[in-house]
C-alpha cells in the first residue's frame, strides 16, 4: 500500500475527504449544526428547529447510502457498523457516556472542531483531551476496561440467520422478502417517517438555511461512503488483494471524528514511525476545522475564546474524557453513529444513538435541576 502504484487512490481518498470536510465544517458553522445543541433546544426551550435539521441530514444520508448499496456501488455490510457480533452493552454504555460528556463539554467532537476553527482555545483543550482519552480507549488503559468488561457482552446475530446487523436483513429474515426488496421497504418507511417529522413544521419548511444545511450535510455523508467505498476500493499492488485505501478501519468509512482524533494524536506523537500515515479520518478532522475557519474569516466571526471559569474548565475536561471513552466504545459519536452509522441501518447504531440522546437528556435535566436548586 506504500508503493508508488498505490499512491493515486490514496491521494484521491485523502484530498477528497479533506474537501468534503471543508464543506462540512463551513456549513456546520453557518447553520450552527450541533446535535447536543439540538437536544438542548428541545429539553430547555421546546424548540425543534436544529433537531429537525439533524433528522433531515439523517434521512438524506440514509437514502443516499442505501441507494449506493442497492446500485452495487458500495458494500455497507463491510463497514464496522454492520459486524455480525452485536456488542450491545458497549454501544449502549459508550453512547450514554458520550451523551453525558458532550453535554458537560457543551458540544460533541464535531462541534468542538467547528468552534476551534472559529477561534475557541477552549475547544482546542477539549479536543486534546478527547484525543488522549480515545487513544487510551483504543490502545491503552481504558481499552483494557472496554475489552474486559463491555465488549464480551455481545450477541452473535449469525445464530439467528443474520449475516450482519443491517435492519434490512432483519426485515428480510422475518418477512421472507428478498433481501433487496426488504432493504427498499425498510429505507422507504424509515425515510418517510423522518421526512414527515421534519417537514410537518411550517417554521422549519420556511427556513432555507436549516433545510439546505440538513440536505447538504446528509449528502456529504453519502459522498464519504462513495469516496472510500467505491473510488478508494482497488487492488493493493503489493499483495494483489482488493482493499480500501487510506482508511483507519481498513474498510469503507464516512464522517466520524472521535477515533480520527486519536489517530491524529498518534501520528503527531510518532511522526517518524514509517508505519503510520495520513488517513481519511485525519483528513476529515482537519478539513472541518479549516472549513469552519474559512467561514469565520469570511464573515468576520473569528473570535478568540477561552474558559469562563475554573468550574467551566473542570466540566469541559471531564466531558472530554467521557466523550473519548464513550465515542470509541460506541464506535462513533453524534456524527459517526448519529449520521454515518444510522445511514447503514445498523441495529447497533440505533442502540448507540439511543444511548447518546438518553445520556445527553439526563445530563441536561440534571444540570437544570442543580441550577434551580442552587439558584
Amino acid at each position: 500500500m506504500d508503493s508508488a502504484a498505490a499512491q493515486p487512490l490514496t491521494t484521491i481518498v485523502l484530498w477528497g475527504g479533506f474537501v468534503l470536510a471543508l464543506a462540512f465544517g463551513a456549513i456546520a458553522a453557518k447553520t450552527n449544526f450541533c446535535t447536543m445543541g439540538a437536544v438542548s433546544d428541545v429539553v430547555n426551550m421546546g424548540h425543534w428547529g436544529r433537531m429537525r435539521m439533524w433528522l433531515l441530514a439523517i434521512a438524506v444520508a440514509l437514502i443516499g447510502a442505501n441507494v449506493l448499496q442497492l446500485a452495487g456501488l458500495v458494500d455497507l455490510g463491510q463497514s464496522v457498523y454492520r459486524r455480525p457480533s452485536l456488542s450491545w452493552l458497549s454501544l449502549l454504555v459508550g453512547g450514554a457516556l458520550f451523551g453525558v460528556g458532550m453535554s458537560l463539554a457543551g458540544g460533541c467532537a464535531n462541534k468542538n472542531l467547528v468552534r476551534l476553527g472559529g477561534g475557541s482555545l477552549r475547544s482546542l483543550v477539549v479536543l486534546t483531551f478527547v484525543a488522549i482519552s480515545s487513544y487510551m480507549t483504543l490502545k491503552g488503559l481504558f481499552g483494557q476496561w472496554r475489552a474486559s468488561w463491555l465488549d464480551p457482552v455481545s450477541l452473535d446475530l449469525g445464530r439467528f440467520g443474520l449475516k450482519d446487523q443491517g435492519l434490512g436483513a432483519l426485515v428480510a429474515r422475518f418477512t421472507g422478502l428478498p433481501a433487496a426488496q426488504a432493504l427498499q421497504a425498510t429505507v422507504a418507511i424509515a425515510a418517510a417517517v423522518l421526512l414527515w417529522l421534519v417537514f410537518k413544521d411550517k417554521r422549519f419548511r420556511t427556513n432555507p438555511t436549516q433545510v439546505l444545511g440538513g440536505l447538504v450535510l446528509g449528502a456529504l455523508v453519502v459522498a464519504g461512503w462513495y469516496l472510500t467505498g467505491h473510488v478508494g476500493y482497488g487492488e493493493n499492488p503489493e499483495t494483489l488483494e482488493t482493499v480500501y485505501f487510506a482508511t483507519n478501519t481498513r474498510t469503507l468509512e464516512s464522517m466520524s471524528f472521535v477515533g480520527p482524533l486519536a489517530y491524529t494524536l498518534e501520528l503527531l506523537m510518532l511522526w517518524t514511525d514509517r508505519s503510520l500515515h495520513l488517513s481519511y479520518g485525519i483528513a476529515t478532522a482537519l478539513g472541518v476545522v479549516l472549513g469552519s475557519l474559512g467561514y469565520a474569516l469570511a464573515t468576520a466571526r473569528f473570535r478568540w475564546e477561552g474558559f469562563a471559569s475554573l468550574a467551566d474548565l473542570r466540566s469541559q475536561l471531564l466531558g472530554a474524557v467521557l466523550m473519548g471513552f464513550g465515542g470509541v466504545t460506541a464506535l462513533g459519536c453524534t456524527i459517526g453513529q448519529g449520521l454515518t452509522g444510522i445511514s447503514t441501518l445498523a441495529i447497533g447504531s440505533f442502540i448507540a444513538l439511543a444511548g447518546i440522546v438518553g445520556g445527553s437528556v439526563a445530563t441536561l435535566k440534571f444540570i437544570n435541576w442543580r441550577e434551580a436548586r442552587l439558584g
Side-chain angles (χ1 to χ4, degrees):
M1 200 176 294
D2 296 327
S3 68
Q7 280 305 113
L9 279 182
T10 298
T11 302
I12 289 171
V13 171
L14 291 176
W15 279 106
F18 178 73
V19 171
L20 293 178
L22 278 176
F24 199 100
I27 294 168
K30 164 69 176 176
T31 61
N32 197 21
F33 180 81
C34 174
T35 304
M36 195 287 295
V39 175
S40 177
D41 287 349
V42 173
V43 171
N44 294 328
M45 299 180 291
H47 188 272
W48 283 76
R50 283 198 287 180
M51 179 63 74
R52 287 191 166 90
M53 179 169 58
W54 183 43
L55 293 176
L56 177 57
I58 292 174
V60 172
L62 187 153
I63 294 169
N66 285 281
V67 167
L68 293 178
Q69 172 79 22
L70 289 166
L73 296 174
V74 301
D75 184 2
L76 297 176
Q78 296 295 315
S79 71
V80 296
Y81 306 105
R82 294 265 292 266
R83 291 170 178 168
S85 179
L86 179 61
S87 299
W88 61 270
L89 186 60
S90 292
L91 294 163
L92 186 60
V93 171
L97 290 177
F98 186 91
V100 173
M102 74 175 187
S103 300
L104 293 175
C108 63
N110 173 68
K111 184 61 176 179
N112 276 286
L113 288 168
V114 171
R115 283 180 178 153
L116 177 58
S120 175
L121 297 177
R122 179 179 66 179
S123 288
L124 176 61
V125 175
V126 168
L127 289 168
T128 299
F129 275 79
V130 171
I132 294 171
S133 178
S134 59
Y135 192 78
M136 290 176 66
T137 310
L138 282 170
K139 301 183 179 182
L141 175 62
F142 295 170
Q144 182 63 52
W145 300 345
R146 171 181 57 80
S148 299
W149 302 338
L150 297 175
D151 289 350
V153 183
S154 62
L155 187 63
D156 181 8
L157 298 179
R159 295 171 53 191
F160 303 94
L162 299 173
K163 65 178 183 178
D164 61 38
Q165 292 185 39
L167 192 56
L170 183 66
V171 172
R173 177 72 175 80
F174 286 100
T175 64
L177 287 171
Q181 292 183 17
L183 179 58
Q184 290 170 2
T186 304
V187 171
I189 293 171
V193 171
L194 286 170
L195 293 174
W196 175 75
L197 289 172
V198 167
F199 289 112
K200 71 174 185 175
D201 182 66
K202 182 179 180 181
R203 183 164 57 174
F204 181 82
R205 292 198 307 267
T206 56
N207 187 328
T209 298
Q210 290 189 328
V211 171
L212 188 59
L215 291 172
V216 176
L217 291 173
L220 289 171
V221 172
V222 179
W225 284 126
Y226 181 79
L227 176 66
T228 65
H230 184 74
V231 177
Y233 185 57
E235 184 180 273
N236 183 336
E238 292 185 348
T239 65
L240 302 183
E241 295 177 332
T242 306
V243 298
Y244 295 93
F245 285 89
T247 61
N248 291 120
T249 60
R250 299 185 180 181
T251 185
L252 69 170
E253 299 175 0
S254 190
M255 299 294 175
S256 189
F257 300 113
V258 173
L261 288 174
Y263 292 118
T264 301
L265 177 65
E266 180 181 53
L267 182 64
L268 292 174
M269 291 192 304
L270 305 174
W271 187 264
T272 57
D273 186 341
R274 293 182 178 273
S275 69
L276 300 177
H277 304 280
L278 284 171
S279 66
Y280 169 82
I282 295 173
T284 56
L286 179 60
V288 169
V289 175
L290 293 181
S292 174
L293 172 62
Y295 174 78
L297 293 175
T299 57
R301 296 187 180 185
F302 185 88
R303 298 287 187 276
W304 293 112
E305 177 189 13
F307 290 97
S309 64
L310 181 59
D312 183 39
L313 172 62
R314 288 197 300 264
S315 177
Q316 299 268 336
L317 295 188
L318 175 59
V321 172
L322 291 175
M323 279 198 289
F325 177 79
V328 170
T329 302
L331 295 180
C333 54
T334 52
I335 303 299
Q337 283 285 23
L339 277 179
T340 298
I342 290 292
S343 74
T344 71
L345 288 174
I347 297 170
S349 295
F350 288 94
I351 295 174
L353 182 57
I356 291 172
V357 174
S360 180
V361 169
T363 305
L364 291 169
K365 286 184 176 294
F366 172 77
I367 291 172
N368 290 340
W369 171 83
R370 184 183 61 185
E371 290 179 349
R373 188 174 176 224
L374 295 175

